[in-house]
Amino acid sequence: MEVAYFCEWEKRPKSNHCPSIPLACALSCRNLVAFTTDLKNEEDEKEVSHMVHIIDTEHPWDVYSIYSGHAEVISCLEWDQSGGLLSADGDGQIKCWAMTDHLVNSWETSLGSAVDGDPIIALSWLHNGVKLALHVEMSGSTNFGEKFSRVKFSPSLTLFGGKPMEGWLAVTVSGLVTVSLLKPNGQLLTASESLCRLRGRVALADIAFTGGGNIVVAATDGSSSSPVQFYKVCVSVVNEKCRIDTELLPSLFMRCTTDRVRRDKYPAVTHLKFLTRENSEQVLLCASSQMGSIVECWSLRKEGLPVNNIFQHRSPVVGEKQPMILKWRILSATNDLDRVLAVALPKLPISISNPDLKVASDTKFCPGLGLALAFHDGSIQILPRLSLHTMGVFYGSSSGSSQRPGDEPAIKWQRAGGHTIHFKALQFSWTSLALAGVDNRGKLHMIRVSPSMGQMLDMNTLLRHLLFLLEYCMVTGYDWWDNLHEEYIRQNQALQQVLSTRIVAVKASLCKLSAATAARACDFHAKLLLIAISATLKSLLRPHVLNTPDKSPGDRLAEICAKNTDTDIDKVMINLKTVEFVLDGPPLQSLQQLIQWVGDFVLYLMANLPNQGSIARPGFGFLRDGSSLGMLREMMVMIRIWGLLKPGCLPIYTAASDNQDSMSLLFRLLTKLWLGCKDGANIRLLRP
């Protein structure tokens, strides 16, 4: 492991505010990191501002700080799949944040709930029922359907038609579970219920979901000698009111409390986490003292209920089965460790069942199988989730300097002298190839994790694993920042159309990593905008006869433009049903800026032809991209037809003469260029 970069969130302006240590951290699937701090006024120590800081990992130098408005310390942060953010504090206040106009530097909150005076210790969005299985053993297949499959998983709550209902769930210190449901009309339904009849203090809690739509809450009072309790929570809507039903599940005692040597050595439970949010049958526990910690991994299993000897001689009834019970069994435990301050669990959907582990061992696929522990001495260890033995160690910089150890060949980065810096919060990326951590000085660290997890793997195996993870990101839409084209074009046409923008975004992100491919990154971003404009313009076309089984006007336009190789734009228009392109005046005029962009872009590409040998020039990729050139031809034809209806919407050019038809000339050049790319011939310098 090594530090990819770290970002200092605080610019230390000349003010009366000084930061305290970070309190919570969360990493979204859209490469956004959110963490919290408190700002205290030196003149008035009672005045405290609770801040939420949001950082885009691709641009870590831009920090967006929000005055949260929370009255107490922010204890929980949770992202959802669409980029919404939940924050909860020590006064029971929960706020829902969303981007303003999809801008990452502008956030607002319009929804929230509260359990006044009851601190929130666990927070989660309700599950939407979407779960993907990762088949590592099929990584060599060319079919995405064999590598990734949807798992039958019910949402926590559904609306009419099976649509998942949005909302969130929280657990408080006093043992309350509170649920807030967002109805389609914007109304918020909120209800609270005790986890059990006898309410008691809850120091730690975590939330997981089952395939049947239920919710499981794990809770402990913080003492290692007390049991870790598990509760099933069912949420429903009855008579337009939210209803919560709870049920007690089997509990467990930590193994270290039954060991005579360690019984009093680790008095407090400091970390309680389900291994994954979609698996309520595997849990990770950490007990600590001021001197050290111990970590245990437990699994819930079905076991046969022992029968008393009196009943064993009874003749069995036909079809009678042995009664089964659920019981927690320990999977593994660590030896005595240094004091653990933070735990990060992988987000890849790989379980630690024996078949999955055997497949991972056979394929040597390690991402998603390890967890990360941050210690008081500033180090981080990667451990397999099942065996919990050390696979890799990262020693942070004690001096806090931003020096990158990129030239270090070993997995260990040795510690330097100075004050101890340690991590207060730690999160894995969605591909488990990076760690986002915030230290006790308020600095964000991005730590690269090798896909081999310290094992000696050949380059072909590593590249195959990286390609598999890139494909996973493209299918799920998760972030890929942590040469995909050949696998992409082997998929069926419908799947290619769905994933078209995602693969372009992946390529743009990868090209941004090197200055030598910056121009290619510009081309990919321009292609994303081109696809969006084309979809917008085609969506305005309407068939002249409703309920027609024929193709849509956009599909007919693409088909005709692909078959017709004429360089005269007016001859291409003859084969189209112009009645489908008829629009009113105001919508056409409102599209003039998009139309002007398309016209300017075509003009720029044509002007680029004399410099076609320069790869570093933006636009070079379009000169050999037949699909993009064909898309531009289609839009030029649409614009030509709309110009006959309303000349004011046409792009404006400065022509060399008054008699020159600029659009016709550009279409002729564009068609010749498109034909050259289509036939695979070398592009020559075109002349009108």
Side-chain angles (χ1 to χ4, degrees):
M1 292 183 290
E2 60 178 89
V3 170
Y5 60 78
F6 63 60
C7 171
E8 187 172 1
W9 69 269
E10 184 210 1
K11 298 181 180 179
R12 296 192 182 276
K14 294 182 179 180
S15 67
N16 293 328
H17 291 85
C18 60
S20 67
I21 60 175
L23 304 163
C25 177
L27 177 63
S28 76
C29 61
R30 309 299 180 191
N31 69 334
L32 295 178
V33 179
F35 63 98
T36 66
T37 56
D38 295 340
L39 287 178
K40 297 182 180 180
N41 194 314
E42 292 180 346
E43 297 178 355
D44 184 3
E45 295 185 356
K46 295 182 179 181
E47 181 184 346
V48 179
S49 300
H50 305 284
M51 307 287 294
V52 177
H53 310 281
I54 297 175
I55 295 176
D56 187 342
T57 53
E58 292 189 358
H59 310 283
W61 46 86
D62 292 328
V63 183
Y64 313 111
S65 299
I66 307 169
Y67 286 95
S68 65
H70 283 284
E72 295 293 337
V73 172
I74 301 175
S75 55
C76 300
L77 287 174
E78 282 291 327
W79 291 97
D80 74 345
Q81 300 290 344
S82 61
L85 180 65
L86 286 177
S87 62
D89 65 16
D91 193 36
Q93 302 292 324
I94 302 174
K95 295 189 176 185
C96 180
W97 300 86
M99 296 184 192
T100 305
D101 299 327
H102 305 283
L103 298 176
V104 72
N105 61 345
S106 180
W107 294 79
E108 63 179 1
T109 176
S110 57
L111 296 172
S113 61
V115 185
D116 293 334
D118 206 350
I120 305 294
I121 57 172
L123 182 66
S124 176
W125 293 90
L126 296 181
H127 204 283
N128 59 5
V130 177
K131 183 182 179 182
L132 196 72
L134 203 66
H135 302 291
V136 181
E137 70 278 8
M138 303 300 296
S139 59
S141 173
T142 59
N143 189 349
F144 284 176
E146 296 178 354
K147 297 180 182 181
F148 319 103
S149 63
R150 286 284 298 270
V151 178
K152 187 177 180 181
F153 207 89
S154 300
S156 302
L157 195 63
T158 57
L159 297 167
F160 178 78
K163 181 181 179 181
M165 194 170 189
E166 297 181 351
W168 57 83
L169 176 142
V171 180
T172 68
V173 167
S174 67
L176 278 180
V177 55
T178 175
V179 176
S180 298
L181 305 177
L182 181 61
K183 298 182 66 177
N185 60 6
Q187 182 184 358
L188 196 66
L189 302 180
T190 302
S192 299
E193 184 64 46
S194 176
L195 285 172
C196 59
R197 293 182 179 180
L198 299 177
R199 287 173 60 184
R201 177 180 179 272
V202 177
L204 295 173
D206 198 20
I207 302 168
F209 302 91
T210 67
N214 295 322
I215 304 166
V216 177
V217 175
T220 175
D221 62 3
S223 174
S224 60
S225 59
S226 300
V228 179
Q229 302 281 2
F230 295 85
Y231 307 91
K232 182 172 74 172
V233 179
C234 302
V235 182
S236 58
V237 177
V238 180
N239 298 327
E240 297 297 319
K241 293 184 178 180
C242 180
R243 177 178 173 179
I244 304 173
D245 296 310
T246 62
E247 178 185 340
L248 185 63
L249 299 177
S251 59
L252 66 88
F253 282 90
M254 291 193 67
R255 172 66 63 85
C256 63
T257 60
T258 61
D259 188 344
R260 294 180 179 180
V261 178
R262 296 173 174 171
R263 180 177 300 173
D264 301 322
K265 190 173 182 179
Y266 304 110
V269 179
T270 54
H271 296 88
L272 166 63
K273 289 180 178 291
F274 288 104
L275 290 186
T276 61
R277 280 293 170 92
E278 285 91 9
N279 188 353
S280 61
E281 298 178 355
Q282 294 169 348
V283 67
L284 187 80
L285 297 167
C286 177
S288 304
S289 66
Q290 291 296 325
M291 303 303 296
S293 300
I294 188 170
V295 177
E296 298 178 358
C297 185
W298 290 74
S299 177
L300 185 64
R301 300 175 180 176
K302 284 185 178 181
E303 296 183 357
L305 185 64
V307 181
N308 193 283
N309 295 331
I310 299 177
F311 304 99
Q312 289 182 356
H313 301 290
R314 183 177 62 87
S315 300
V317 180
V318 177
E320 184 181 15
K321 296 182 179 179
Q322 182 183 10
M324 306 294 289
I325 60 171
L326 292 173
K327 195 169 185 179
W328 286 97
R329 291 292 185 184
I330 189 167
L331 291 177
S332 57
T334 64
N335 296 322
D336 295 337
L337 303 171
D338 194 8
R339 185 151 60 98
V340 175
L341 296 182
V343 177
L345 295 173
K347 298 180 175 65
L348 279 177
I350 300 177
S351 69
I352 60 172
S353 61
N354 290 330
D356 289 335
L357 290 174
K358 184 179 184 303
V359 168
S361 176
D362 295 341
T363 59
K364 298 181 180 179
F365 185 83
C366 299
L369 295 179
L371 57 91
L373 302 178
F375 296 94
H376 188 264
D377 63 354
S379 64
I380 297 176
Q381 291 187 17
I382 302 292
L383 301 88
R385 290 188 288 174
L386 183 62
S387 61
L388 294 180
H389 66 266
T390 302
M391 297 176 63
V393 183
F394 165 80
Y395 289 112
S397 173
S398 299
S399 60
S401 64
S402 58
Q403 180 182 357
R404 295 186 185 186
D407 55 350
E408 291 284 344
I411 196 169
K412 295 183 179 180
W413 183 18
Q414 296 298 328
R415 287 173 287 182
H419 298 290
T420 301
I421 294 177
H422 50 262
F423 291 93
K424 302 294 293 185
L426 206 61
Q427 287 276 325
F428 262 112
S429 67
W430 287 83
T431 56
S432 301
L433 296 185
L435 279 168
V438 185
D439 64 24
N440 55 331
R441 294 190 178 181
K443 291 182 180 179
L444 173 67
H445 298 248
M446 299 303 300
I447 303 170
R448 185 181 299 112
V449 180
S450 171
S452 65
M453 295 289 182
Q455 299 187 42
M456 298 300 295
L457 300 179
D458 61 273
M459 185 57 66
N460 290 333
T461 303
L462 283 175
L463 291 177
R464 187 172 66 250
H465 292 170
L466 290 175
L467 176 61
F468 184 56
L469 290 174
L470 283 174
E471 292 169 346
Y472 169 72
C473 292
M474 185 177 66
V475 171
T476 59
Y478 291 157
D479 188 64
W480 49 84
W481 51 274
D482 294 336
N483 301 321
L484 196 58
H485 182 71
E486 289 75 12
E487 297 294 329
Y488 168 76
I489 60 178
R490 293 176 185 174
Q491 309 308 311
N492 60 65
Q493 193 65 31
L495 185 57
Q496 286 188 34
Q497 187 174 1
V498 171
L499 303 178
S500 59
T501 55
R502 292 182 183 174
I503 190 172
V504 175
V506 169
K507 292 178 179 179
S509 180
L510 294 176
C511 287
K512 287 170 60 179
L513 298 177
S514 172
T517 54
R520 293 286 291 159
C522 295
D523 290 352
F524 288 129
H525 284 295
K527 187 172 182 178
L528 286 174
L529 181 58
L530 188 65
I531 294 173
I533 294 176
S534 175
T536 301
L537 298 184
K538 286 184 178 180
S539 66
L540 299 175
L541 306 181
R542 294 291 182 270
H544 65 286
V545 178
L546 297 179
N547 300 324
T548 175
D550 201 359
K551 297 179 180 179
S552 66
D555 293 337
R556 281 196 295 271
L557 172 65
E559 184 179 358
I560 292 174
C561 289
K563 293 180 179 179
N564 196 326
T565 59
D566 204 308
T567 58
D568 190 343
I569 190 172
D570 295 324
K571 292 183 179 179
V572 177
M573 290 168 47
I574 296 176
N575 300 314
L576 294 171
K577 300 176 182 179
T578 54
V579 66
E580 296 176 341
F581 295 82
V582 176
L583 297 178
D584 297 332
L588 279 178
Q589 192 60 43
S590 64
L591 296 173
Q592 203 280 330
Q593 291 181 339
L594 294 180
I595 292 173
Q596 184 68 48
W597 187 91
V598 174
D600 291 345
F601 189 72
V602 174
L603 184 61
Y604 173 78
L605 291 181
M606 297 304 103
N608 244 354
L609 282 175
N611 302 292
Q612 58 180 307
S614 175
I615 301 179
R617 188 180 181 91
F620 175 83
F622 283 94
L623 301 182
R624 290 165 172 79
D625 188 353
S627 62
S628 297
L629 296 176
M631 197 184 307
L632 286 170
R633 288 183 76 244
E634 298 168 13
M635 287 190 283
M636 292 285 283
V637 172
M638 281 192 292
I639 294 170
R640 183 73 165 188
I641 297 175
W642 288 340
L644 299 177
L645 302 175
K646 189 174 183 60
C649 72
L650 288 173
I652 301 173
Y653 299 104
T654 302
S657 63
D658 296 337
N659 298 328
Q660 179 177 303
D661 187 350
S662 300
M663 279 204 66
S664 179
L665 176 60
L666 285 175
F667 185 83
R668 186 182 306 119
L669 293 173
L670 181 63
T671 302
K672 290 183 178 181
L673 181 60
W674 172 68
L675 289 174
C677 296
K678 184 178 179 182
D679 298 335
N682 294 326
I683 302 174
R684 299 184 181 91
L685 184 63
L686 302 180
R687 298 184 183 276

